Amino acid sequence: MKNSIKIYFLIILIVLGCCFNGIDSYAGSSATQIAGNTASSTDAAIVPSDAPSINAEAGIVMDVDTGDILYEKNAHEQLYPASITKVMTCLLAVENGNVNDELTVSDSVMSQVEDGSSAIGLQSGEKLTLKSALYGMMLNSGNECALTIAEYIGGSTEGFADMMNQRAKELGCLDSHFVNPNGLQNNDHYTSCYDMALIGKAAYQYPEFKKLISSQSYTIPETNMNEERPLWQENRLTYSGNGEYYYEYCTGGKTGYTEAALATLISFAERDGRRLVTVVMRCNPTTESYLDTIKLDDFCFNNYNLYKPLTNFDFRSVNNENLNVLSNYYDDLNHELPKYYVNRNYSFYIRSFVNESDILQTVNFYVEPQNGIAGQIIFSYNGVEIGRTDITINLPPVIASSTDAIIAQNNTPKPESKVLKWAKRIIVILIALILLLIFLIVFIKIRKKIQMYNSKRTIKYFPRSRDPRLKAKEEDNQEKIDKLKDIDKEVIKKKKKDLDTEYQEKRRRKRKKI
């Protein structure tokens, strides 16, 4: 029992520790933030001479984690995207919606669906969850699903289009303008391979998105106006039975086609820990989009290696005059010399034939730091720059004795607001009260069990002779036993007498015969 109580106390202490320690680090469900490079349209301005030729008018291959561009062809040409637009729609839905929310198909939505366009058969007034609508949009490219989602998220098609353009701007897109959530033809609705790669890169960080594009099938449950509907993946790259169009490393994607856009395709592939997003636009015929994607992905997986040059980087090995100059900058301040930091996860792609030892690292320190950046490390191969990353500085607390020191103090992060602090305290108090209540309930139950145990033990060892009820019962039982014994004695005596009589009779008969 004592051990059980100790275990309960230990569990409560662990839970309390998790609550108090985790309060400042808790964050809601969001996309994973990957350390690495920021995508740049100049990372691969020239197509490698040994790269495969593709049918598509434009194409790009970008690393999902680092943003490095491994291949591009007319990557910034503004083209009609067709249904790969729905990747942006899905991204906004995952970021702003709840998959369990119920959506209602409106008359406004159905009036915008063009006859003969891709649809799953929704009707005005039909109710379904956001999850079902997303599967209908991403697997079967249902245009009415995309419009229903847009109305749910943005209030209207126009409102949602504004959200699409704002999100594209936030992602660094340079060539896009969206007017609808499904990609139906509109002269003012356009994007580029580069922008779609950025959008796909952002969406692929969400597990919900990855599950949608990788699913082979999904059944929409029965609704108020339709029976259940099975859906099937339209992306041929993910089906092993599709022969030359199947790609074993493909994890999903989205197809698109209109007469004006021709075939478009955005797809994702993973191999040896590397993750790529590939976009091809304006392919003819449609099947060429699959073959182009396979050729580009194989080329990039086979001909590029991911290089992490700063994994074991040590500033003590750096001999640079500017390092001393920069340190002298802090001589008038009352603190230790500054510490320098680099992003040890910094990485970029190099061609497979490049020997890592031939890559030159040049460390440049500034005379004084600029916005917390103390310098840069530049990487080059055969005299050509192939990457660069910042050296940052973390200033300890200082006693301001110069204008620069005061500026450094003012740039330190501001403390949390009082409202946020009190909100966190209230949450902690509520959690503590709940845990205390649970503890009391557990304590009372344990105490009752201990009392019951002690009671049973007392009864077990209570002297039987002192209990008059037990004694009377024993006497009664003994009397019954004695009566049974008397009866048994009479029976035995009678039986013995019968045996003796029988024996005497046998002897008498025997003598008579003789």
Side-chain angles (χ1 to χ4, degrees):
M1 277 298 174
K2 290 182 179 179
N3 291 336
S4 300
I5 294 172
K6 288 180 180 178
I7 292 170
Y8 278 115
F9 271 114
L10 183 60
I11 292 171
I12 290 168
L13 287 173
I14 292 171
V15 173
L16 280 171
C18 293
C19 291
F20 282 95
N21 291 333
I23 241 179
D24 292 328
S25 61
Y26 174 77
S29 177
S30 63
T32 307
Q33 299 300 316
I34 307 294
N37 304 350
T38 301
S40 169
S41 60
T42 59
D43 285 349
I46 301 174
V47 175
S49 58
D50 55 342
S53 61
I54 59 174
N55 169 277
E57 186 172 313
I60 193 171
V61 181
M62 180 184 290
D63 184 277
V64 170
D65 298 317
T66 68
D68 284 328
I69 298 172
L70 309 185
Y71 171 94
E72 65 175 8
K73 174 186 177 182
N74 301 326
H76 289 279
E77 183 177 352
Q78 292 178 335
L79 298 168
Y80 300 129
S83 283
I84 62 174
T85 300
K86 290 162 183 167
V87 173
M88 171 62 95
T89 303
C90 188
L91 171 62
L92 288 174
V94 169
E95 290 179 333
N96 298 282
N98 184 324
V99 294
N100 296 316
D101 283 354
E102 187 177 70
L103 284 58
T104 301
V105 183
S106 67
D107 294 334
S108 174
V109 163
M110 298 309 298
S111 66
Q112 298 175 65
V113 179
E114 295 181 5
D115 292 337
S117 66
S118 179
I120 66 166
L122 295 181
Q123 302 178 43
S124 181
E126 187 168 355
K127 298 181 184 296
L128 73 167
T129 62
L130 175 60
K131 179 181 178 180
S132 293
L134 284 170
Y135 273 106
M137 178 180 72
M138 298 304 289
L139 264 64
N140 278 68
S141 206
N143 289 318
E144 78 274 49
C145 293
L147 289 164
T148 301
I149 293 169
E151 193 172 77
Y152 157 74
I153 298 292
S156 65
T157 300
E158 294 76 16
F160 189 76
D162 290 339
M163 293 178 66
M164 296 172 77
N165 291 317
Q166 178 60 34
R167 191 70 179 98
K169 184 179 179 181
E170 293 169 357
L171 293 172
C173 296
L174 304 172
D175 318 300
S176 299
H177 184 261
F178 299 105
V179 298
N180 63 56
N182 48 27
L184 287 176
Q185 181 57 33
N186 188 304
N187 292 340
D188 291 329
H189 186 92
Y190 50 82
T191 187
S192 66
C193 287
Y194 174 76
D195 286 3
M196 282 306 307
L198 288 181
I199 294 166
K201 176 179 180 291
Y204 201 66
Q205 309 304 330
Y206 288 91
E208 298 93 335
F209 176 82
K210 291 179 67 175
K211 185 176 181 181
L212 282 166
I213 62 172
S214 63
S215 298
Q216 296 295 318
S217 63
Y218 178 78
T219 299
I220 295 180
E222 181 181 354
T223 68
N224 60 322
M225 302 185 74
N226 271 300
E227 297 179 352
E228 64 177 21
R229 278 162 290 194
L231 306 175
W232 301 94
Q233 175 66 256
E234 292 183 344
N235 182 5
R236 296 191 185 185
L237 290 172
T238 60
Y239 279 115
S240 58
N242 279 329
E244 61 178 337
Y245 304 123
Y246 170 65
Y247 189 56
E248 60 179 319
Y249 304 113
C250 181
T251 56
K254 184 71 190 77
T255 61
Y257 178 84
T258 64
E259 290 183 0
L262 299 180
T264 60
L265 175 64
I266 178 172
S267 67
F268 301 85
E270 297 185 14
R271 175 178 155 187
D272 300 329
R274 291 175 290 170
R275 309 192 299 171
L276 304 179
V277 52
T278 303
V279 184
V280 291
M281 298 180 71
R282 201 163 178 77
C283 299
N284 190 26
T286 302
T287 51
E288 287 295 325
S289 62
Y290 301 117
L291 300 178
D292 284 350
T293 296
I294 294 171
K295 285 190 288 186
L296 292 178
D297 283 349
D298 274 341
F299 172 77
C300 292
F301 280 131
N302 294 331
N303 291 276
Y304 287 94
N305 290 327
L306 188 62
Y307 177 47
K308 290 189 173 185
L310 300 177
T311 303
N312 299 312
F313 183 80
D314 190 345
F315 278 105
R316 290 177 294 183
S317 64
V318 176
N319 183 15
N320 190 295
E321 293 181 1
N322 288 337
L323 178 58
N324 297 324
V325 174
L326 183 62
S327 297
N328 292 333
Y329 172 72
Y330 297 94
D331 284 347
D332 65 330
L333 306 182
N334 185 19
H335 63 74
E336 297 178 355
L337 289 178
K339 294 181 180 180
Y340 306 111
Y341 299 90
V342 293
N343 178 9
R344 297 188 184 276
N345 289 321
Y346 173 77
S347 61
F348 56 86
Y349 276 88
I350 57 176
R351 291 298 298 270
S352 300
F353 55 76
V354 174
N355 191 329
E356 293 182 4
S357 61
D358 294 333
I359 298 175
L360 178 64
Q361 295 184 9
T362 304
V363 181
N364 291 335
F365 284 95
Y366 302 146
V367 175
E368 61 183 61
Q370 302 172 10
N371 297 321
I373 298 175
Q376 286 190 327
I377 301 177
I378 301 171
F379 305 90
S380 57
Y381 176 75
N382 287 342
V384 179
E385 182 182 326
I386 57 177
R388 65 169 59 203
T389 186
D390 292 331
I391 301 170
T392 58
I393 188 168
N394 183 20
L395 290 175
V398 300
I399 300 172
S401 59
S402 69
T403 302
D404 295 317
I406 294 171
I407 293 172
Q409 272 189 336
N410 292 335
N411 287 334
T412 56
K414 295 181 179 179
E416 289 181 329
S417 67
K418 290 184 178 181
V419 175
L420 185 59
K421 280 185 177 180
W422 277 106
K424 288 184 177 181
R425 288 176 184 174
I426 291 170
I427 292 172
V428 170
I429 291 170
L430 289 174
I431 293 173
L433 289 173
I434 292 170
L435 291 173
L436 181 60
L437 180 62
I438 294 171
F439 169 77
L440 289 174
I441 293 171
V442 172
F443 177 78
I444 291 169
K445 287 187 175 181
I446 293 173
R447 192 164 178 270
K448 284 184 177 179
K449 286 186 177 181
I450 292 172
Q451 289 176 343
M452 289 175 64
Y453 174 79
N454 290 333
S455 298
K456 289 180 179 179
R457 188 178 178 186
T458 303
I459 292 170
K460 181 177 180 181
Y461 294 102
F462 190 90
R464 298 171 63 88
S465 59
R466 295 182 185 177
D467 191 339
R469 292 172 299 175
L470 291 175
K471 189 173 181 181
K473 190 173 182 180
E474 286 179 357
E475 290 176 352
D476 185 48
N477 289 338
Q478 187 62 45
E479 186 178 347
K480 289 179 180 179
I481 291 169
D482 292 340
K483 286 182 179 179
L484 290 173
K485 284 182 178 180
D486 292 340
I487 293 171
D488 289 341
K489 285 180 181 179
E490 291 295 327
V491 171
I492 292 169
K493 187 176 181 181
K494 184 179 179 182
K495 192 170 184 180
K496 187 177 179 181
K497 186 178 180 180
D498 292 342
L499 288 172
D500 287 341
T501 304
E502 185 179 353
Y503 176 73
Q504 294 296 330
E505 181 65 25
K506 284 182 180 180
R507 287 190 65 184
R508 187 181 64 77
R509 289 176 183 172
K510 189 175 180 182
R511 287 175 183 172
K512 189 176 181 180
K513 286 182 180 179
I514 293 172

